[in-house]
Amino acid sequence: MKLYMESKSRIDIVSLLLFLSIALLGIASVYSATYESGAESLWQGRSGKQLMWFGVSAAVGVVIFLLNSNFFELFSMYIYVTFMILLIVVLVIGADINGARSWIRIGSISIQPSEFAKYGTSFAVASLLSNIGFSWQNRKELIQVAAVILIPMVLIVLQGDTGSALVFLSFFLVFYREGLSPVILIVGLLAILIFILTLIFTSFYLCSALVVGFLVFYAFTYTNKKIIVPSLIILSIAIFFSLSVQFLFDNVLQEHQQKRIQVTLNLIEDNRGAGYNVNQSKIAIGSGSFTGKGFLNGSHTKGNFIPEQETDFIFCTIGEEGGWAISALTVILFIAFILRLYHLARRAKKKFKRIFIFSLASIIFFHVLVNIGMTIGLMPVIGIPLPLISYGGSSVLGFCIFIFTALKMDATRDQDLISTYS
Amino acid sequence: MNKQRTYIINVAVVLVGLIFIFRLFQIQVLDDKYVNIAEKISLRRQTVYPQRGLIFDRNDKLIVYNDPVYDLMIAVPIRLKGIDTTAFCALLQIDRSEFDKMLERAKTNSYRGKSVFKRNVSNLLYARLQERLYEFSGFFFEIRQDRNYKYNSAAHVLGYLGEINKSELDKQEEEYYEQGDFNGKKGVERFYEKELRGVKGEQYLYVDKFGVIKGSYKEGKLDQDAIDGNNLHLSIDIDLQLYGEQLLDNKMGSVVAIEPSTGQILALISSPFYNPAKFNIQNRGKYYTMAISDPTKPIFNRAVSAPYPPGSTFKPLMALVGLQDEAINKQTHFGCPGFYRLGRRIIKCHPHAFNTGLQLSIASSCNTFYCNTFKNMMQLDKYENSEESYNAWRSYLKSFGVGDKLGIDVSSEVSGWLKDAAYYDKIYGNGSWKYSNIISLSFGQGELGLTPVQIANIAAAIANRGFYYTPHVVRKIENMEYIPEKYLVKNHTKISPSHFDAVVQGMQEVTLSGTASHLVIPGIAIAGKTGTVQNPHGKNHSAYMAFAPVIQPKIAIAVVVEEAGYGSSWAAPIAHLMIEKYLMPDSVSKSSKVDLERKMMESDLIPLKYKSQRNEALYGK
């Protein structure tokens, strides 16, 4: 009987088409990035594996669509806990690949639990924030939310995969949307600004400038006694932060991490070491010109000049072979997909679904921002995949399940009305 | 409130999208820096070397052909990673420290571009490495053409190739050569470099980061085929050349044979000679020092680079000058008591009839006759002083090519010695010298030096009765309708043709009744002149000049054998054997000359003092 009701549900065609377009682009890119002339067909090698993962995803998608629409809300915390356990398991039995212990090997298949942890965490966040009476002022609830995103972040950092941990920062967009004071976001942005300025000018000059700025500010406003004390406090915090950054940067960060940040800020040029990837990546993309060198014709792609090309640097293949036309189209497809997902979130009639779909959109946004940003030298090199395009089974499966779950939630939004009123 | 925040977030997303699209536009469309860098990194321009022109002899027998040499290259020295160095070293038969040294050198040559790892890898090593090269990504072979030779012969004429040097690179008129290219260093390889080398082609290829070729660039639209060099046909008769080399083996000296009617050189031999194959790119490194330290100077091309006083072989020319200048005439006779008295000095002559005319003077090589002729000429009334008469004498010689480079197409030619009047002014004081100071010039001694090719050219000019073509070894250049123009121009001497018959008769008398009469060849009328050149450093040089047949001559020849003795004992027999070999190829072996031939071939006239320092490895196969 339930099944009958479910079957009336309608998948959002726009999202589905955008999803399929991006996925097709991805398969083509992986095929090209790993193509050796005359060696393999689309169905073999890495593009074949990628196709297989999309197939597995589709199968899981069918299961998701057969589930009761309330399943996810009911079991949200269990799903979260399951994925957290996986994160702990990987720490214990995980295989060490490239210095990160992020993989569980089952036979010939390797699974990366961190790619599924965002999915699990979204359930917990949606569940907590949709609790009736949830308030950002309630300290207990605040701690719960913080714990829910900090636990996976810490576990993933322990695996040695800082990049994947940073992805959880995208939940701040969700929190902001759900009423968290923008002050926190603004403070965050200011902190980033001080961080960057400290690295560019060193904390000594930055602090000096801040003090001079404060004195000038004080000279104009000294009659207004009320703002003196708060602004002095802000100044002290800023100086303290800047000094800490300097200290942390010099003493805590590892050399390759320091270099990556410095290369991004153009503080140093290191095209052979830390900057090698970005430099080669920019060359590959930049040499694509307007229409690109043509499918399978990228000389840089063929020449394997860019390490990790089929995974984190897959956008180079698109940029080189598709030129500006296809690169811009890719960006537009992603932006449209993200905006469409935000639209689905907005039209959800249940807070839980709204927050869940919104989380998905924000996570994809974060991935796109960081991944494409790093390939064109606007972001530091953080090893996270470009959703649906980068080669990698866990990433593909993780995002597909995430997207199918969101589409399922959207498809059944009309029943929510009934259930609400019933 | 949430609506507004959603809106802000949407704007932020769109903004990021726009920033990305603009940034992409900037690096992909506006800035073409990256296109250039990408091509520099992933595109390799590979030179396609043409086949160098082959070299044939006058009967179109192949003498010189191409043999590939393999250079082991590294595509990108700094990216050389992950190869099994131990296996590689074992294949190359080098140890690890050598490997490191070679790699360092390759890096210094070129950090990012291709660089030579090992030049001239042997064929055997090439075969062994080639099939396993895929294991050592980043290494590849570049193939170039080295020379190889059908005959162990004519090394001096052919010359050799070498790697282009810095000054040649800097001096080239049009950009053609690159470092590491080969060019002709000596001989015709050098003289006809432009015709032989062809035009290099180029290929544009995509390479990966290890330098492994990934495919052709733009389907090869920019590639250019190499154009093979033009084949060169020489006037050298390789059989005659080889025969002459056999005769001159273990002697120091030279033979030059010219076809008088064309100026084409039939044989040009300088002995000791070396096996040309020992001087090709692959071998020269090993043999060059050996050749340099050999005191008999095997690299030195005596035929064009060694001036000898012509001795008595000069007398026919002196006679012609005397006739032309009316110092003597065909009836002139001088009495020869066996010497010529010059104040208190005596110039010796050989025993012969007292009353000596022109023909006898040549046949019996009478010094007195020529001293008198020279004296007469220098004292002719038409000349105001010695300088004027000397200059007249000198200009006759010059018209035979004496004292100047002839312009032969074999490298290292020298002009020889023919001093100008100023030279004697310096020695004896301005204007205070006369015939008696320089009388030895009249019989080819003193300050006169002629290269064997110059002597042969005089023989050719006499054979032609008054003119010569500049001697040359090129007969035909394929795909070109001409040979250098200067080889087609008739050079007229200053001697009127009417004077030649008397002199030629005298020269024929040499082989009939004179100094070479023991060497007569039945059926061939030869005009010759022996010479015994005084050598202050050792035994006399044996010299001979001849042409044959007397009517419509086909070959003019000059032979010099250093430190051998009389002209009639060595140079003349060698010349006659060669004439016979050339005009009647099969007759020598049948005639009574076999013994003479064997004697010539087997005699070792290398002075003892040099023997111990010679290295046989240079000469053999």
Side-chain angles (χ1 to χ4, degrees):
Chain A
M1 214 249 343
K2 279 241 144 107
L3 209 66
Y4 171 68
M5 279 178 66
E6 300 283 320
S7 68
K8 283 206 302 190
S9 59
R10 294 181 58 196
I11 301 174
D12 182 55
I13 286 296
V14 177
S15 322
L16 194 66
L17 285 178
L18 287 168
F19 163 79
L20 288 173
S21 316
I22 294 170
L24 279 176
L25 202 62
I27 290 162
S29 304
V30 170
Y31 179 59
S32 178
T34 54
Y35 174 81
E36 295 274 335
S37 47
E40 284 163 343
S41 75
L42 184 65
W43 314 103
Q44 290 166 304
R46 301 212 147 175
S47 54
K49 269 193 173 173
Q50 186 84 335
L51 270 169
M52 180 201 83
W53 281 110
F54 273 108
V56 171
S57 304
V60 178
V62 170
V63 174
I64 287 169
F65 269 83
L66 291 176
L67 289 173
N68 183 300
S69 67
N70 291 322
F71 170 84
F72 295 110
E73 193 168 359
L74 285 171
F75 288 91
S76 57
M77 288 318 276
Y78 295 102
I79 298 172
Y80 174 73
V81 170
T82 308
F83 284 116
M84 290 310 109
I85 289 169
L86 271 180
L87 283 182
I88 294 165
V89 167
V90 77
L91 276 177
V92 181
I93 64 157
D96 216 323
I97 297 175
N98 294 333
R101 189 176 276 264
S102 321
W103 303 82
I104 296 175
R105 265 215 188 115
I106 307 162
S108 63
I109 299 166
S110 294
I111 296 288
Q112 195 181 1
S114 57
E115 286 300 326
F116 300 94
K118 334 172 221 210
Y119 177 62
T121 306
S122 299
F123 284 110
V125 167
S127 173
L128 284 177
L129 265 56
S130 60
N131 276 344
I132 296 158
F134 174 84
S135 159
W136 291 104
Q137 266 70 46
N138 184 325
R139 189 174 298 167
K140 189 184 153 217
E141 283 176 326
L142 197 63
I143 289 169
Q144 280 178 345
V145 172
V148 148
I149 64 164
L150 275 175
I151 289 168
M153 278 180 89
V154 169
L155 289 172
I156 293 171
V157 167
L158 287 178
Q159 292 171 14
D161 188 2
T162 321
S164 297
L166 287 176
V167 171
F168 289 82
L169 292 179
S170 30
F171 284 107
F172 275 93
L173 267 184
V174 183
F175 301 157
Y176 169 68
R177 167 70 174 68
E178 294 302 322
L180 182 68
S181 163
V183 171
I184 292 179
L185 278 181
I186 290 167
V187 167
L189 288 175
L190 278 178
I192 291 172
L193 191 68
I194 291 174
F195 177 81
I196 291 172
L197 291 176
T198 300
L199 294 184
I200 296 178
F201 300 111
T202 75
S203 80
F204 175 76
Y205 288 107
L206 182 69
C207 295
S208 312
L210 285 174
V211 171
V212 171
F214 175 75
L215 290 177
V216 172
F217 173 74
Y218 178 69
F220 284 100
T221 58
Y222 66 98
T223 45
N224 189 347
K225 297 256 159 43
K226 270 189 195 161
I227 53 171
I228 292 295
V229 176
S231 48
L232 257 179
I233 292 169
I234 292 170
L235 178 72
S236 317
I237 293 172
I239 289 174
F240 175 75
F241 181 69
S242 172
L243 290 170
S244 319
V245 164
Q246 188 81 59
F247 176 81
L248 287 172
F249 187 83
D250 292 342
N251 300 300
V252 176
L253 286 191
Q254 288 169 352
E255 203 183 328
H256 74 273
Q257 291 167 324
Q258 291 176 357
K259 278 202 171 156
R260 277 183 188 180
I261 294 169
Q262 286 171 322
V263 166
T264 311
L265 296 177
N266 269 331
L267 294 180
I268 55 166
E269 193 157 307
D270 184 15
N271 290 341
R272 270 183 231 156
Y276 175 81
N277 278 24
V278 176
N279 187 46
Q280 294 295 334
S281 154
K282 268 157 66 178
I283 291 168
I285 296 171
S287 65
S289 295
F290 193 82
T291 50
K293 298 178 186 169
F295 185 55
L296 304 181
N297 274 331
S299 55
H300 236 65
T301 298
K302 270 192 193 173
N304 300 320
F305 285 93
I306 309 146
E308 313 288 336
Q309 178 150 16
E310 71 275 24
T311 57
D312 296 346
F313 280 90
I314 190 73
F315 193 69
C316 297
T317 310
I318 297 171
E320 187 185 19
E321 300 188 345
W324 185 74
I326 304 297
S327 314
L329 177 71
T330 309
V331 173
I332 289 167
L333 283 174
F334 270 116
I335 298 303
F337 190 46
I338 292 162
L339 292 178
R340 185 67 190 177
L341 288 175
Y342 280 139
H343 174 73
L344 299 192
R346 206 161 48 236
R347 77 181 182 192
K349 281 155 190 145
K350 266 187 161 180
K351 205 175 173 189
F352 174 82
K353 290 188 174 181
R354 179 179 78 208
I355 295 166
F356 182 85
I357 300 173
F358 202 91
S359 300
L360 168 64
S362 302
I363 287 168
I364 293 178
F365 177 52
F366 188 88
H367 272 266
V368 171
L369 173 71
V370 170
N371 184 287
I372 297 183
M374 84 178 172
T375 62
I376 54 182
L378 295 178
M379 285 273 165
V381 176
I382 294 170
I384 58 172
L386 189 58
L388 306 177
I389 295 201
S390 288
Y391 169 76
S394 301
S395 169
V396 165
L397 186 59
F399 274 108
C400 283
I401 293 174
F402 210 153
I403 290 162
F404 294 155
T405 307
L407 288 180
K408 161 79 180 174
M409 288 181 181
D410 176 66
T412 55
R413 67 185 183 280
D414 288 338
Q415 295 160 20
D416 297 339
L417 263 184
I418 300 164
S419 62
T420 308
Y421 287 110
S422 60
Chain B
M1 187 183 77
N2 285 354
K3 247 191 187 155
Q4 193 201 349
R5 290 191 174 186
T6 312
Y7 180 72
I8 289 172
I9 290 169
N10 283 350
V11 167
V13 170
V14 171
L15 212 60
V16 166
L18 287 177
I19 289 171
F20 281 1
I21 289 169
F22 280 119
R23 168 72 171 178
L24 286 164
F25 192 75
Q26 185 204 345
I27 67 172
Q28 293 184 305
V29 182
L30 298 181
D31 198 342
D32 52 12
K33 173 173 88 182
Y34 296 104
V35 178
N36 299 332
I37 299 175
E39 296 201 334
K40 221 158 115 194
I41 296 176
S42 59
L43 209 55
R44 185 198 296 156
R45 198 193 67 122
Q46 190 153 304
T47 306
V48 183
Y49 288 94
Q51 287 279 337
R52 197 172 170 88
L54 306 176
I55 302 180
F56 298 90
D57 92 328
R58 75 183 287 113
N59 300 312
D60 296 329
K61 287 186 180 167
L62 180 65
I63 315 176
V64 185
Y65 59 97
N66 295 313
D67 220 10
V69 286
Y70 307 96
D71 292 340
L72 184 58
M73 311 285 292
I74 314 186
V76 192
I78 53 159
R79 294 237 178 80
L80 192 71
K81 267 185 221 143
I83 66 157
D84 183 348
T85 318
T86 322
F88 191 70
C89 287
L91 270 175
L92 267 174
Q93 292 164 333
I94 54 174
D95 61 31
R96 182 60 204 246
S97 68
E98 264 178 285
F99 175 88
D100 290 337
K101 234 185 281 168
M102 288 155 102
L103 185 60
E104 248 349 276
R105 201 168 341 121
K107 276 185 189 169
T108 347
N109 286 342
S110 171
Y111 207 60
R112 298 188 172 281
K114 63 173 183 182
S115 184
V116 178
F117 184 75
K118 189 177 191 322
R119 277 224 186 283
N120 309 330
V121 175
S122 72
N123 285 5
L124 189 72
L125 197 55
Y126 168 75
R128 206 162 41 186
L129 259 175
Q130 179 66 17
E131 61 184 37
R132 290 189 58 191
L133 207 58
Y134 69 93
E135 291 173 37
F136 311 107
S137 82
F139 283 98
F140 65 99
F141 277 110
E142 220 167 63
I143 302 169
R144 292 184 293 172
Q145 301 298 333
D146 195 0
R147 289 302 216 185
N148 220 334
Y149 302 85
K150 285 275 182 205
Y151 300 87
N152 175 3
S153 176
H156 292 103
V157 175
L158 301 170
Y160 49 82
L161 301 181
E163 207 165 289
I164 194 154
N165 61 42
K166 182 87 173 50
S167 74
E168 286 171 323
L169 266 181
D170 295 342
K171 269 192 281 183
Q172 56 179 322
E173 286 156 24
E174 31 161 356
E175 286 282 307
Y176 179 82
Y177 297 101
E178 288 169 58
Q179 183 132 31
D181 283 356
F182 301 152
N183 67 342
K185 295 291 185 199
K186 283 273 155 65
V188 291
E189 295 278 20
R190 175 178 177 150
F191 201 92
Y192 294 104
E193 166 68 15
K194 272 202 169 159
E195 289 77 10
L196 286 168
R197 76 182 181 197
V199 181
K200 286 189 283 187
E202 49 192 20
Q203 236 179 341
Y204 290 90
L205 300 163
Y206 278 126
V207 293
D208 73 2
K209 87 175 179 180
F210 301 110
V212 177
I213 292 167
K214 286 295 191 181
S216 67
Y217 176 65
K218 295 195 173 163
E219 283 109 45
K221 266 179 222 151
L222 295 180
D223 294 358
Q224 265 177 332
D225 289 340
I227 302 169
D228 288 347
N230 296 325
N231 294 343
L232 190 65
H233 293 256
L234 299 183
S235 58
I236 298 287
D237 181 323
I238 197 68
D239 297 324
L240 185 66
Q241 175 86 18
L242 259 172
Y243 184 62
E245 285 169 355
Q246 285 174 308
L247 293 171
L248 223 51
D249 197 17
N250 287 320
K251 296 161 196 74
M252 286 160 38
S254 176
V255 175
V256 178
I258 298 174
E259 182 178 68
S261 58
T262 57
Q264 290 180 1
I265 293 176
L266 303 170
L268 187 138
I269 301 156
S270 173
S271 179
F273 34 81
Y274 55 88
N275 181 349
K278 303 272 161 106
F279 261 48
N280 68 10
I281 299 282
Q282 289 176 78
N283 298 327
R284 199 167 73 254
K286 207 161 35 177
Y287 293 101
Y288 193 74
T289 17
M290 213 182 270
I292 286 284
S293 60
D294 190 323
T296 58
K297 298 186 187 170
I299 309 178
F300 185 55
N301 187 356
R302 289 169 164 81
V304 297
S305 309
Y308 301 92
S312 299
T313 59
F314 181 69
K315 284 171 181 163
L317 178 53
M318 186 61 224
L320 287 167
V321 172
L323 287 170
Q324 180 71 29
D325 219 32
E326 292 169 355
I328 53 167
N329 60 42
K330 287 170 193 169
Q331 282 73 48
T332 302
H333 281 70
F334 295 109
C336 175
F339 57 85
Y340 176 76
R341 181 180 288 280
L342 191 71
R344 263 172 292 174
R345 258 174 77 201
I346 276 185
I347 293 161
K348 278 198 209 157
C349 194
H350 326 287
H352 57 83
F354 178 78
N355 195 19
T356 309
L358 178 62
Q359 267 132 50
L360 180 61
S361 78
I362 295 175
S364 62
S365 200
C366 174
N367 288 341
T368 310
F369 185 92
Y370 290 95
C371 291
N372 281 311
T373 305
F374 191 66
K375 177 187 170 191
N376 282 2
M377 183 184 166
M378 296 295 281
Q379 291 181 334
L380 284 174
D381 288 341
K382 59 179 175 181
Y383 302 122
E384 288 201 347
N385 54 34
S386 303
E387 182 176 338
E388 211 172 277
S389 47
Y390 177 76
N391 280 340
W393 178 80
R394 191 170 177 267
S395 76
Y396 285 119
L397 265 57
K398 285 222 159 211
S399 75
F400 280 82
V402 177
D404 288 312
K405 288 184 186 176
L406 289 168
I408 185 179
D409 45 1
V410 173
S411 53
S412 315
E413 193 193 1
V414 299
S415 55
W417 319 315
L418 176 62
K419 304 298 183 187
D420 54 12
Y423 174 84
Y424 297 108
D425 279 344
K426 219 190 234 167
I427 293 179
Y428 302 106
N430 263 355
S432 52
W433 50 278
K434 52 179 188 167
Y435 77 92
S436 52
N437 298 97
I438 54 174
I439 197 142
S440 50
L441 292 174
S442 67
F443 48 91
Q445 295 288 159
E447 301 86 358
L448 195 56
L450 272 68
T451 60
V453 72
Q454 283 172 326
I455 301 174
N457 189 51
I458 293 170
I462 297 173
N464 288 336
R465 276 62 169 180
F467 68 89
Y468 69 91
Y469 291 98
T470 301
H472 53 276
V473 295
V474 66
R475 189 166 56 85
K476 189 171 85 185
I477 302 167
E478 276 180 30
N479 300 320
M480 293 176 89
E481 282 155 26
Y482 55 89
I483 61 171
E485 204 152 312
K486 64 177 175 185
Y487 298 138
L488 302 172
V489 178
K490 223 182 225 187
N491 300 293
H492 288 277
T493 64
K494 288 187 168 177
I495 309 293
S496 135
S498 62
H499 295 306
F500 281 89
D501 283 339
V503 172
V504 171
Q505 263 176 45
M507 288 175 70
Q508 196 174 355
E509 216 45 61
V510 168
T511 66
L512 295 175
S513 62
T515 49
S517 56
H518 57 299
L519 300 167
V520 73
I521 305 170
I524 303 175
I526 302 178
K529 180 70 196 83
T530 55
T532 305
V533 182
Q534 289 164 29
N535 173 18
H537 308 294
K539 269 178 98 176
N540 289 338
H541 300 323
S542 169
Y544 190 68
M545 166 185 99
F547 62 87
V550 171
I551 312 294
Q552 290 184 330
K554 294 218 156 44
I555 178 170
I557 192 166
V559 179
V560 177
V561 184
E562 291 176 22
E563 306 195 27
Y566 294 114
S568 55
S569 344
W570 298 101
I574 289 173
H576 280 221
L577 284 167
M578 287 196 67
I579 289 170
E580 190 170 356
K581 178 79 176 176
Y582 183 64
L583 296 179
M584 300 192 291
D586 299 323
S587 88
V588 175
S589 53
K590 291 175 199 150
S591 72
S592 57
K593 294 285 167 51
V594 178
D595 289 340
L596 181 67
E597 186 183 63
R598 190 186 306 126
K599 179 187 168 198
M600 290 299 133
M601 287 182 178
E602 290 175 1
S603 298
D604 187 340
L605 300 181
I606 303 273
L608 266 177
K609 55 185 172 184
Y610 296 148
K611 276 219 167 118
S612 59
Q613 297 168 58
R614 297 191 73 207
N615 200 322
E616 287 304 319
L618 264 176
Y619 312 104
K621 270 285 170 192

